[in-house]
Amino acid sequence: MLAENISVVVNMVTFSQANIESLEEKWQRLYGHSDACFFLSWRWIGNWLTTYKPNLLVLEAVKSGHLIGLGLLSMTEERRHGFVISNCMRLHQTGEPYEDQIWIEYNDFLIKRGEEQAVSKAFLDALKRNEIQWDELIVSGIDVVRASELSRASGMRALIRWQTPCVGVDLAKIRRSASSYLQTLSSNARHQINRSIRLYSGFGNLAVHRPLNVLEAIEWFNGFGEQHIRKWGKLPGQSGYANHEFVRFHHGLIRSGWEKGEVDIAVVKAGDELLAGFYNFIQSKRVYFYLGITSETNDNRLKPGLVGHSMMIQDYIERGQDFYDFMGGEDRYKKSLGREHGSIVKMVLQRPRLTLFVENALRSARNLLSRGVQ
């Protein structure tokens, strides 16, 4: 499909209720004709807009009178190393660290199914032609295959700032096989979980519990905070619970999505003993594990995280969900419980700028020197 057949409009839009309502109608309609995930649903995007109220560049791609692509870009100035001043565009992020800590994953333009490559090229060509001065386009949490497609379509220098594997469990396959989730695991993982279950059974019956209403859901989400901060830290960039903007965003997401079944909060207990807590998203029978906590124990035979995830996965199998996505992360427990199904990256597309060329050359020299020292 040729990008020339697609017309692109780029508009600077300030936050207002009327603008949000107009965008919502377009976004919802296009989302229903796309393969986009939860993080590109209006549940996430709409809550992002109403929580942080960013001013945006709105990209719209139209073909034969029909909307086939949308993208929301913020503009910020980034200063680095004392000599680089870069005008940065960010896709579905504001550029403010406290606001971007909500960890969007599987990020991308919202595009009609089958039009991904053509719309991507049309969007990038339009941005390069546009009179707005920009130096870098930053897309965080995008699938590595889509990142490669965007890089090729752009004709620009592409840098990967970080990359992490994605791990998941095919629940539909397990359900079709009429086996339990534990039967699909390695003998070592199965042994650790079964031993932990036997030991935890001494506290009482193991079960999954969920809130009774949305207020209780928010209360449970807040209750995970202390444990999460103890594990991940309270400094900037560590636990999201130490960040008011992170908490505010997720309160809005729970209020709008919990009763719709798109936000799921649960705990796994043995009697009254808490093993683990989970904050997940659900869209199109796919469960996205977003955040969790586990109880602390000095007994290395007890594996609250492994038991908690295994019970949640079995619960989702029985509830008819099709995939349990651990999403990005190098955590060893994820690879013990699931299989790698892709990668996500943070990609930066750079326009030809002398300061960026010098920065990249210095970075390459430093990396060579570092490898030589090692």
Side-chain angles (χ1 to χ4, degrees):
M1 199 67 66
L2 296 176
E4 296 86 67
N5 297 331
I6 300 169
S7 62
V8 174
V9 177
V10 183
N11 287 319
M12 178 67 77
V13 175
T14 57
F15 180 88
S16 72
Q17 191 59 39
N19 286 338
I20 293 300
E21 289 173 0
S22 173
L23 181 61
E24 178 181 4
E25 189 276 329
K26 295 176 182 177
W27 197 277
Q28 295 271 45
R29 178 159 39 90
L30 181 56
Y31 183 81
H33 295 283
S34 75
D35 289 326
C37 72
F38 176 82
F39 293 93
L40 292 181
S41 70
W42 189 254
R43 186 71 58 209
W44 179 278
I45 294 294
N47 186 57
W48 173 65
L49 292 173
T50 55
T51 301
Y52 300 135
K53 300 178 173 56
N55 295 327
L56 297 166
L57 283 177
V58 178
L59 307 183
E60 296 187 25
V62 176
K63 179 182 175 185
S64 302
H66 298 287
L67 181 69
I68 60 171
L70 282 168
L72 308 178
L73 298 167
S74 69
M75 289 288 300
T76 56
E77 183 182 88
E78 190 170 290
R79 295 172 178 262
R80 306 190 294 264
H81 316 303
F83 71 96
V84 176
I85 302 175
S86 177
N87 293 311
C88 298
M89 287 183 172
R90 285 179 171 81
L91 182 64
H92 305 141
Q93 291 186 302
T94 68
E96 296 294 332
Y98 276 88
E99 295 174 354
D100 290 343
Q101 199 181 359
I102 56 176
W103 308 320
I104 187 171
E105 298 195 29
Y106 304 128
N107 193 11
D108 203 342
F109 295 110
L110 180 64
I111 303 175
K112 182 182 177 182
R113 188 179 301 110
E115 300 279 8
E116 290 84 1
Q117 293 189 34
V119 171
S120 298
K121 179 167 175 52
F123 274 161
L124 291 164
D125 287 347
L127 287 174
K128 287 190 288 186
R129 291 193 305 266
N130 196 275
E131 62 185 17
I132 294 173
Q133 296 299 309
W134 64 276
D135 305 307
E136 296 177 291
L137 172 60
I138 301 170
V139 187
S140 288
I142 186 172
D143 176 81
V144 67
V145 175
R146 281 290 294 143
S148 296
E149 291 176 357
L150 287 181
S151 174
R152 289 194 298 270
S154 73
M156 293 185 285
R157 181 185 180 92
L159 302 176
I160 301 300
R161 296 300 190 200
W162 54 255
Q163 179 168 352
T164 187
C166 295
V167 174
V169 181
D170 189 338
L171 309 183
K173 182 179 179 181
I174 296 172
R175 191 163 47 243
R176 288 193 300 269
S177 71
S179 62
S180 71
Y181 167 63
L182 287 183
Q183 291 174 307
T184 69
L185 298 179
S186 69
S187 57
N188 179 54
R190 193 165 58 246
H191 168 72
Q192 291 187 62
I193 292 171
N194 282 328
R195 181 179 62 183
S196 293
I197 288 174
R198 286 195 301 271
L199 293 170
Y200 276 122
S201 294
F203 295 100
N205 183 51
L206 273 75
V208 176
H209 303 270
R210 287 182 168 87
L212 298 176
N213 53 57
V214 68
L215 292 179
E216 192 170 64
I218 291 175
E219 183 181 333
W220 285 25
F221 172 82
N222 291 341
F224 295 165
E226 183 178 346
Q227 186 79 9
H228 200 266
I229 288 173
R230 275 205 300 270
K231 179 176 181 180
W232 298 106
K234 62 181 179 180
L235 297 177
Q238 295 180 342
S239 170
Y241 279 98
N243 175 1
H244 172 72
E245 293 299 329
F246 174 95
V247 174
R248 190 162 69 93
F249 173 86
H250 287 291
H251 281 179
L253 203 58
I254 295 167
R255 279 192 292 269
S256 66
W258 186 82
E259 290 183 343
K260 301 289 187 181
E262 296 174 5
V263 172
D264 191 30
I265 295 178
V267 296
V268 174
K269 289 185 173 182
D272 293 328
E273 184 76 12
L274 175 70
L275 276 66
F278 298 87
Y279 174 53
N280 299 338
F281 307 132
I282 302 175
Q283 193 83 13
S284 302
K285 293 192 173 184
R286 192 180 189 99
V287 181
Y288 300 87
F289 167 62
Y290 181 82
L291 179 151
I293 61 162
T294 57
S295 63
E296 297 175 350
T297 176
N298 294 321
D299 188 341
N300 60 15
R301 298 174 302 168
L302 296 176
K303 307 294 181 182
L306 296 182
V307 173
H309 275 292
S310 67
M311 292 194 63
M312 290 297 295
I313 288 169
Q314 188 63 43
D315 178 81
Y316 285 127
I317 291 172
E318 294 166 5
R319 287 171 175 262
Q321 305 300 339
D322 286 346
F323 199 86
Y324 189 81
D325 197 342
F326 287 102
M327 298 196 289
E330 299 279 358
D331 310 80
R332 198 170 84 178
Y333 76 87
K334 293 183 179 183
K335 295 180 180 179
S336 296
L337 295 174
R339 294 184 179 178
E340 191 171 320
H341 63 87
S343 297
I344 56 174
V345 302
K346 178 180 180 179
M347 179 180 66
V348 181
L349 297 176
Q350 295 185 329
R351 305 187 82 177
R353 302 288 188 264
L354 178 60
T355 54
L356 298 179
F357 176 83
V358 172
E359 179 188 31
N360 291 327
L362 291 173
R363 181 182 292 112
S364 297
R366 183 190 62 195
N367 291 340
L368 285 171
L369 179 62
S370 176
R371 285 197 292 270
V373 170
Q374 290 173 3

